[in-house]
Amino acid sequence: MKKMGVLMLAMILVLSVMAPITVLAEPAEGPTQLAQARGTPGRTAAPARAPRVTQAEFARILVQLLGLGKYVPVNGTPQDDAQALMQEGIAPADGWMLDDTVTRGVLAVVMVKVMKAMGYEVDIDMNDTRAAMDWLNENGIPTGTITQSAESVEPLGAPNAPNVFQVSTDPLVTRELYGSVDAPESGADAGTASRGPETAGYEPVTMEEIIAVVPPVSRPERPTTPPTPFRP
Amino acid sequence: MNRIKFVAVVALLLVMAVPAEVFAVSRLGSKWFQVKHRLRVEYDDNIYQTKDDEKDSSKVINEFDIFVQAKLEQTFLSLHYRPQHVYWDDREPDDTTWNHSVDLIFAQEFSPRVTLSLKDTLLIAEQPAQILDGNQFGPDNDYTYNSVVGSLSIGLTPETTLDLSGRYQLLRYDEDAISDANDYDIYVAGLDLRRQVLPETSVALQLRGEQTDYTETDDRDSDSYQAGAALEEAFGPDLVGKVRLGWQHKTFDDSSIDDIDSAYADGSLTLLPSPATRITGGVGYDQSDTDVAPFANQDRFRVYASLAYDVTARITWYLTSEYIMHDLDAEDAPEASRTQGGEELEDGSENITQVSTRLAYKLNRSNVIEAGWQLIDLDSDVREDYVRNRLSLGWRTEI
């Protein structure tokens, strides 16, 4: 089991290092097809000159560019991406239809919400396509293509909800957030709530350990019970 | 320590494997490098998390967030490094703390149907000894935690995907008195066979194997296996949810602890009742290992909810809460540890309540003022209870 896990990780790491990395000299016309590999139905390789981008692919791009990748499982699905974006208030007016192609209207509505999550002051009906397009034009944010719009996307400084608590019974996911120390987004210390260090009330403590932890510089006023370190 | 070096070397190799030109030819997104700063002044009413004789202190928390990312046609790489410095107004003998957090995310598309994803989380934190009345109780508690998880996703058909995943976690304390009971290595292997049955519905079969190895002691080591299914559903434009459930079989290295067979389940919902409101909730139940020695297992039940509400275009209010219940059975401890000093180890339970609220006011796109309150209340039969409140006022800025 242990060897199997190590072997699997080693294979993945070797594959990743050997992977050919394509650096584009010129911008291409369409975004990546990363989400395609995740098995969302109805996808075929898009023609090079007229790429059709699904909402699943668009959601994946946004999750990455907004810095939300940490909060999506590494084997996450398009729905996981959509859920992470929704927790930031980002969704098309009709919700994420992951198999549908991204239209200009969907792009405009989503981009306005992205801008709001990034800190722009947006005071319009964000589900109104016309109002969204006007607002983007006024603020100089291009909506001709997804590639152009993506140029305006920046990582969120302090993501909202998905990082707060991640309750999962999946050992591939759970304890992902051991708990950044003193992180205000973590509600309280996520580490305390999940797994944190705690010595035992029943662990045997040797005399050497007691001497080590209680220097004889002054007389302890607390009982010399086994030490209980506080948790990260 | 060798494993820490191994993880660090692997992470560095990954970064070095990406040509330097990548950073200059970022295909999507305008910012490939970003530095943010967060400054908070906080009042903490129980810095050592004790039941009695609570020690309070103010502190100043300085945190930088250094961010690098590259998004190419087939490759995505992002690296977050967050060094944090804490100055404590009233804590002896060490009035400063340094914490470091690193997140590395890497994704590579080999073909339209084959994708590799890799994520590494490294946390190095200082937790100095507890000092009360000039006496030191407990050794230094500094630790290193790392989690690396990788997944290879293979599209078998347009509707069906196979994911092969692996994970390795480690926890290491600096002081022997702590590390002897708590240092661990956890290995996880996973397989997901996922099928999109409807545009708004996907189902998956999931298999997991997890091995927990405590490095200095064998009596709490365990193997856990899960077999189950997952369902993801978009109920409508404003409501999505997912459920995961199945059967868990757990065995222990210590022969005096019986195997455990139990159901596990978790689910979450995200709701957007209005463009200004986001609500997320979830619940989960499983058998998990515990940080309370000598117990090797606990029943864990968790429920949480989170609300974000845009009060105005500039003001956002966040509220989160979580309740956790742990049930610990003396039968799940090694037989040799069930009696200590003539005292029988008893069953116990823990109730943990956490609440947090935060109000953020956007001065402009680059500056946010925020105020927050966090509460944690630990009510435990097996360790010291405590209640801890933290009040903070902060300023976030992009440099």
Side-chain angles (χ1 to χ4, degrees):
Chain A
M1 169 73 185
K2 182 175 172 180
K3 285 179 182 171
M4 210 173 73
V6 171
L7 182 65
M8 186 177 287
L9 278 176
M11 281 176 60
I12 289 172
L13 292 173
V14 168
L15 276 173
S16 68
V17 172
M18 291 172 64
I21 294 170
T22 307
V23 178
L24 298 178
E26 295 176 6
E29 291 184 4
T32 180
Q33 303 286 325
L34 267 179
Q36 196 170 28
R38 296 183 177 276
T40 309
R43 306 242 181 92
T44 54
R49 290 186 179 278
R52 289 163 58 85
V53 179
T54 64
Q55 292 190 19
E57 293 162 336
F58 186 37
R60 173 104 291 236
I61 291 166
L62 289 177
V63 163
Q64 292 180 333
L65 293 180
L66 288 167
L68 298 175
K70 179 180 177 181
Y71 311 114
V72 177
V74 74
N75 59 343
T77 62
Q79 284 89 344
D80 285 320
D81 294 333
Q83 194 166 8
L85 291 168
M86 286 175 72
Q87 286 167 334
E88 299 299 329
I90 301 167
D94 296 328
W96 287 103
M97 312 286 216
L98 295 166
D99 294 324
D100 289 2
T101 302
V102 177
T103 62
R104 293 286 298 276
V106 167
L107 179 61
V109 167
V110 169
M111 284 305 297
V112 162
K113 294 177 180 178
V114 167
M115 293 299 121
K116 183 171 191 317
M118 283 167 46
Y120 278 85
E121 189 175 346
V122 180
D123 211 358
I124 59 167
D125 177 358
M126 291 186 291
N127 283 330
D128 182 329
T129 304
R130 174 50 55 193
M133 285 181 168
D134 291 344
W135 187 91
L136 291 167
N137 284 336
E138 286 167 14
N139 287 275
I141 295 160
T143 55
T145 65
I146 290 178
T147 305
Q148 289 174 352
S149 296
E151 289 293 320
S152 305
V153 179
E154 298 171 9
L156 302 180
N160 165 30
N163 56 337
V164 176
F165 300 116
Q166 200 163 16
V167 176
S168 177
T169 57
D170 188 346
L172 286 169
V173 178
T174 189
R175 303 188 206 102
E176 186 65 42
L177 300 174
Y178 185 76
S180 296
V181 180
D182 280 324
E185 285 82 26
S186 296
D189 291 331
T192 306
S194 56
R195 185 190 183 93
E198 177 73 15
T199 51
Y202 296 90
E203 283 290 299
V205 179
T206 64
M207 185 53 69
E208 287 76 14
E209 285 171 343
I210 293 172
I211 291 170
V213 300
V214 186
V217 290
S218 61
R219 187 173 179 179
E221 293 179 15
R222 284 170 59 89
T224 54
T225 51
T228 303
F230 62 100
R231 292 158 287 276
Chain B
M1 200 59 200
N2 285 334
R3 287 207 169 93
I4 298 174
K5 286 179 185 170
F6 170 76
V7 171
V9 168
V10 167
L12 284 173
L13 280 175
L14 269 178
V15 174
M16 289 163 64
V18 181
E21 299 93 288
V22 163
F23 297 102
V25 196
S26 182
R27 184 174 179 279
L28 288 175
S30 58
K31 285 208 173 178
W32 63 274
F33 180 77
Q34 197 175 58
V35 179
K36 296 194 175 186
H37 177 243
R38 188 174 209 159
L39 174 68
R40 280 184 296 137
V41 178
E42 185 173 286
Y43 171 74
D44 189 332
D45 75 348
N46 190 0
I47 62 176
Y48 294 126
Q49 297 180 167
T50 55
K51 182 179 182 181
D52 303 311
D53 302 325
E54 295 97 334
K55 173 74 177 166
D56 66 335
S57 175
S58 299
K59 53 188 174 183
V60 180
I61 303 167
N62 256 300
E63 185 178 87
F64 283 90
D65 186 348
I66 300 161
F67 178 81
V68 179
Q69 82 169 12
K71 175 103 179 83
L72 309 176
E73 178 78 0
Q74 294 169 320
T75 307
F76 175 77
L77 178 72
S78 87
L79 181 68
H80 269 266
Y81 170 49
R82 278 181 291 272
Q84 183 189 69
H85 176 266
V86 185
Y87 169 74
W88 303 73
D89 173 56
D90 188 12
R91 194 186 68 171
E92 293 179 346
D94 187 0
D95 58 7
T96 61
T97 303
W98 277 101
N99 301 308
H100 305 269
S101 168
V102 179
D103 290 300
L104 174 71
I105 297 172
F106 175 76
Q108 174 71 38
E109 180 189 1
F110 296 109
S111 77
R113 292 197 179 278
V114 181
T115 304
L116 173 77
S117 304
L118 195 69
K119 187 155 62 171
D120 188 275
T121 301
L122 173 67
L123 187 63
I124 300 171
E126 290 182 26
Q127 300 284 355
Q130 176 178 353
I131 307 291
L132 287 175
D133 302 324
N135 298 307
Q136 179 175 329
F137 293 87
D140 286 350
N141 203 7
D142 302 352
Y143 65 90
T144 301
Y145 167 82
N146 193 80
S147 163
V148 57
V149 54
S151 182
L152 189 66
S153 182
I154 303 165
L156 303 177
T157 70
E159 295 83 18
T160 310
T161 309
L162 176 69
D163 286 350
L164 299 171
S165 308
R167 185 179 191 189
Y168 170 55
Q169 289 170 270
L170 68 80
L171 178 66
R172 295 287 184 277
Y173 285 93
D174 285 0
E175 290 296 325
D176 291 345
I178 307 293
S179 65
D180 285 352
N182 292 288
D183 283 6
Y184 64 71
D185 297 298
I186 297 177
Y187 306 87
V188 182
L191 182 149
D192 293 58
L193 186 62
R194 184 175 296 112
R195 184 170 177 83
Q196 191 89 25
V197 291
L198 290 170
E200 64 279 1
T201 308
S202 76
V203 294
L205 292 174
Q206 297 183 325
L207 297 175
R208 300 285 185 269
E210 180 182 24
Q211 183 176 53
T212 303
D213 281 339
Y214 289 89
T215 58
E216 303 299 327
T217 174
D218 295 331
D219 56 3
R220 295 167 66 208
D221 291 355
S222 64
D223 292 341
S224 171
Y225 304 93
Q226 290 183 348
L231 168 73
E232 294 178 329
E233 176 78 25
F235 297 99
D238 304 321
L239 179 63
V240 297
K242 54 186 176 185
V243 176
R244 182 174 185 275
L245 50 86
W247 197 255
Q248 183 175 7
H249 176 71
K250 198 165 181 180
T251 63
F252 300 89
D253 281 15
D254 191 291
S255 57
S256 66
I257 306 176
D258 293 337
D259 294 355
I260 294 175
D261 285 286
S262 170
Y264 68 86
D266 71 61
S268 71
L269 280 174
T270 297
L271 171 68
L272 303 183
S274 77
T277 312
R278 287 91 73 190
I279 298 172
T280 297
V283 62
Y285 171 80
D286 66 347
Q287 303 292 319
S288 74
D289 28 291
T290 171
D291 51 359
V292 183
F295 298 96
N297 184 69
Q298 65 184 358
D299 273 17
R300 179 175 61 178
F301 171 78
R302 303 202 288 184
V303 57
Y304 76 100
S306 156
L307 163 74
Y309 177 63
D310 297 325
V311 182
T312 69
R314 285 175 179 266
I315 300 174
T316 304
W317 175 52
Y318 305 97
L319 176 66
T320 62
S321 65
E322 183 182 39
Y323 171 73
I324 307 163
M325 188 172 67
H326 296 153
D327 268 334
L328 300 117
D329 189 337
E331 298 288 316
D332 292 340
E335 194 165 17
S337 305
R338 291 177 197 164
T339 307
Q340 290 287 335
E343 195 177 334
E344 285 286 319
L345 178 65
E346 294 182 356
D347 298 348
S349 66
E350 292 190 315
N351 297 284
I352 304 168
T353 307
Q354 302 188 88
V355 180
S356 165
T357 186
R358 186 162 54 99
L359 199 63
Y361 178 73
K362 293 169 193 162
L363 294 172
N364 52 49
R365 274 202 57 222
S366 300
N367 292 278
V368 177
I369 300 288
E370 54 191 7
W373 168 64
Q374 299 175 62
L375 163 75
I376 180 165
D377 183 347
L378 172 68
D379 177 15
S380 174
D381 299 335
V382 292
R383 52 183 165 179
E384 186 177 5
D385 299 344
Y386 69 88
V387 178
R388 185 182 188 188
N389 285 281
R390 280 172 283 180
L391 286 164
S392 67
L393 189 63
W395 170 43
R396 271 189 286 133
T397 186
E398 185 178 332
I399 299 173

